Amino acid sequence: MLTKDLAICIRTTDFSETSQIVTFFTRANGKIGAIAKGSKRPKSKFDGPIEVFAQGEIVFADSNKEKLATLTEFQQQPGFAQLGKDLFALHCCLFAMELLNSMTDDYDPHPELFDSFLHFLRNVDERRTTDNEQRDVMALLISFQLTLLKEVGLIPVFDSCVNCKTSHGARATSNEFYFSSSANGLICGDCESSFPDRIRLSKNAANCLADVKKILDADEKTLNEIEKILIHHFTEILRHQPKMAKHVLKKISH
Ligand SMILES: [Zn+2]
């Protein structure tokens, strides 16, 4: 059976002299692995070797979901020309891609996550040069990471203490907020001693996490703090630190 779908390439490996194995994140079918026969030939029907972030409409044959699908068509849309020009932005995109690959299962569709990833790549690619480009990219990365956690059903509770359920708003005057990865959410000052893995949050970071609309306008220091917590949280969930995390941490740990 042939299936047509919108797809973004999130991983490639060489299979032979002329062919690749490509992982696509597709809009309607979720993540799929496919063999792209002849993709490395100069005159391949896929416009040459397939690279990560390549996106467009694919057609694939998936006779058996246990095995690799066979890619039969790939109409590549214009790529993200600016992504490679700034190393930090590229690292953030590769990090988002790695998380997307690690946190999703084959043939488990998440159309909103697909749209969010495409939107993230476009926004990073089309961002205007501002005084603080690193801050802007970080805000986009955090927004995508929170969408990813939400889509896979692992979004932490940020609007109240996970333990005693006191709402964040009721404690707005307090300065004591913590995050616990094992409890998957916010911990208030009264409950913190029961959570040995807690990490202290600044008031700004706690406010942003309780109301994610604030992330796009947050200052760089707050965003860096939130990103460090998210990296810690993804590391706990995956039980290893994502490979790209160290490149992002290097730029935000001062
Ligand atoms: Zn509490």
Side-chain angles (χ1 to χ4, degrees):
M1 193 183 88
L2 289 177
T3 308
K4 197 186 264 194
D5 207 342
L6 292 172
I8 306 172
C9 172
I10 58 171
R11 190 166 192 265
T12 69
T13 13
D14 286 342
F15 178 68
S16 67
E17 286 280 294
T18 55
S19 302
Q20 293 171 288
I21 291 173
V22 181
T23 307
F24 285 109
F25 193 69
T26 70
R27 191 168 195 282
N29 292 274
K31 189 170 72 179
I32 64 155
I35 180 153
K37 287 182 189 149
S39 63
K40 289 161 70 190
R41 290 205 176 95
K43 282 188 181 167
S44 96
K45 58 184 169 182
F46 312 121
D47 305 326
I50 299 168
E51 293 177 5
V52 293
F53 304 130
Q55 50 103 16
E57 194 174 81
I58 61 168
V59 178
F60 60 98
D62 60 338
S63 51
N64 178 348
K65 287 182 179 172
E66 300 294 304
K67 289 192 198 155
L68 286 174
T70 303
L71 186 68
T72 60
E73 283 176 46
F74 185 18
Q75 304 284 343
Q76 294 200 33
Q77 295 296 309
F80 304 105
Q82 306 298 319
L83 279 193
K85 292 187 176 167
D86 174 86
L87 198 58
F88 180 71
L90 178 65
H91 284 159
C92 286
C93 292
L94 290 169
F95 184 30
M97 184 177 80
E98 181 186 356
L99 290 174
L100 180 65
N101 195 5
S102 314
M103 304 279 296
T104 54
D105 295 319
D106 288 358
Y107 292 98
D108 179 17
H110 288 281
E112 282 179 27
L113 184 54
F114 175 89
D115 293 345
S116 167
F117 186 55
L118 197 56
H119 189 69
F120 163 73
L121 294 175
R122 273 198 191 121
N123 279 336
V124 173
D125 191 52
E126 290 167 5
R127 73 196 186 285
R128 270 180 249 135
T129 311
T130 62
D131 297 348
N132 204 341
E133 233 171 303
Q134 185 173 319
R135 192 219 73 93
D136 299 351
V137 173
M138 190 53 64
L140 294 170
L141 176 64
I142 291 170
S143 301
F144 171 73
Q145 288 169 322
L146 293 174
T147 304
L148 173 61
L149 287 170
K150 184 168 152 232
E151 280 286 323
V152 299
L154 292 173
I155 188 77
V157 174
F158 287 126
D159 59 358
S160 59
C161 171
V162 204
N163 195 48
C164 68
K165 316 291 178 212
T166 309
S167 80
H168 172 264
R171 290 194 165 265
T173 52
S174 161
N175 280 318
E176 269 206 89
F177 298 101
Y178 299 82
F179 174 74
S180 160
S181 191
S182 62
N184 202 33
L186 195 76
I187 300 291
C188 74
D190 292 343
C191 300
E192 55 109 355
S193 58
S194 312
F195 296 87
D197 71 330
R198 69 198 178 278
I199 298 171
R200 180 104 188 223
L201 288 174
S202 70
K203 195 170 184 177
N204 283 347
N207 286 344
C208 275
L209 288 168
D211 180 6
V212 294
K213 292 191 295 293
K214 290 182 178 155
I215 284 171
L216 291 175
D217 297 318
D219 62 63
E220 185 169 13
K221 188 165 166 259
T222 305
L223 292 174
N224 289 352
E225 180 189 348
I226 292 173
E227 182 57 24
K228 278 185 229 166
I229 285 164
L230 289 175
I231 288 175
H232 161 78
H233 192 47
F234 280 114
T235 301
E236 292 296 307
I237 293 171
L238 297 167
R239 301 187 183 281
H240 69 267
Q241 190 180 66
K243 275 192 220 147
M244 289 309 299
K246 60 176 182 291
H247 299 285
V248 176
L249 282 170
K250 203 162 64 189
K251 287 286 275 187
I252 62 175
S253 306
H254 300 293

